[in-house]
Amino acid sequence: MVKYDEGFKQQVVDAYLSGEGGYDSIAKKFGVRSSTNVAKWVNTFRQFGKDGFLRKKSPTTYPVQFKLDVLNYKLRTGESFASVAIKFGIHEPPMIANWMRTWQNEGIEGLSKLRGRPSMSNKQKKKNSEKKLSKEQQLEKEIELLRAENAYLKKLRASGINIPSRLLKQNRESSMNSEKNSN
């Protein structure tokens, strides 16, 4: 995969915006493999300005509730992933598609998982912090996840979207498990 630097992307976008041609002719002129890249860069520039081309030093982590709000909006409106990404200020539309797939396969717990490999320096700290969680803190964390899941399911019901039966079963099982744990 070819990576283009920020300056090059800016030149391509400037050429398009100054009316030197359409996506296809600009792509050929600058040697960009696909006119889709040019279109994506133009849309990124229009939405985020020059900052949209900057590479991020660290990945952005989004809270579970934000992910659920984005997915709810996508399901309710039926808009494309690209337009939903623009509305919520997300630079990579495929990220929303990944959230959707994860939510459909694993439910809300899948959205709350951290992705990637943890750094070696945090390994010892993580083990210690997990041990320090009291029973009460673990229950509070579970309650927070269940509340977010319930709120999301209520939004889906209110908007008339069919809820997959897998999620309904999972919701009942998780509430039964929490009842057993509290007894």
Side-chain angles (χ1 to χ4, degrees):
M1 182 161 101
V2 176
K3 299 249 181 181
Y4 301 99
D5 69 347
E6 296 86 15
F8 179 77
K9 291 177 184 179
Q10 188 63 53
Q11 285 179 334
V12 172
V13 169
D14 289 342
Y16 175 80
L17 293 176
S18 66
E20 293 180 25
Y23 295 138
D24 289 327
S25 62
I26 296 290
K28 287 178 187 173
K29 179 179 178 180
F30 285 92
V32 177
R33 289 187 179 188
S34 172
S35 61
T36 306
N37 285 343
V38 176
K40 186 166 58 168
W41 297 341
V42 169
N43 289 333
T44 299
F45 179 77
R46 286 181 174 157
Q47 181 64 30
F48 303 108
K50 290 182 180 183
D51 293 340
F53 296 139
L54 297 176
R55 294 178 202 252
K56 295 184 178 179
K57 293 179 181 168
S58 62
T60 305
T61 55
Y62 296 98
V64 176
Q65 189 59 49
F66 177 78
K67 294 176 185 179
L68 290 173
D69 291 342
V70 171
L71 293 176
N72 184 33
Y73 180 82
K74 164 72 174 123
L75 291 171
R76 197 175 65 243
T77 62
E79 290 184 22
S80 68
F81 289 115
S83 62
V84 173
I86 288 170
K87 173 153 180 47
F88 285 92
I90 299 171
H91 288 267
E92 295 296 324
M95 186 183 305
I96 300 171
N98 290 340
W99 294 345
M100 181 74 73
R101 193 176 321 105
T102 301
W103 176 72
Q104 289 172 339
N105 293 335
E106 302 174 34
I108 195 166
E109 288 82 16
L111 293 177
S112 64
K113 289 180 188 173
L114 294 176
R115 297 188 57 103
R117 184 176 179 174
S119 67
M120 294 300 288
S121 62
N122 293 337
K123 198 171 190 178
Q124 195 65 22
K125 293 177 187 175
K126 187 175 180 183
K127 286 182 181 177
N128 290 342
S129 67
E130 285 179 4
K131 290 179 184 176
K132 291 180 183 177
L133 284 179
S134 68
K135 183 73 171 173
E136 184 177 320
Q137 289 171 327
Q138 290 172 350
L139 291 174
E140 286 176 0
K141 187 175 180 180
E142 183 180 355
I143 288 171
E144 181 184 345
L145 280 174
L146 290 172
R147 283 184 179 155
E149 184 176 8
N150 284 337
Y152 186 65
L153 291 173
K154 285 179 185 178
K155 286 181 183 178
L156 288 178
R157 283 188 189 112
S159 61
I161 296 173
N162 290 334
I163 302 168
S165 60
R166 177 193 52 75
L167 287 177
L168 292 175
K169 289 178 186 176
Q170 184 181 29
N171 193 20
R172 286 188 203 119
E173 289 173 4
S174 62
S175 64
M176 288 181 177
N177 287 340
S178 60
E179 287 175 11
K180 290 177 186 176
N181 290 340
S182 64
N183 290 335

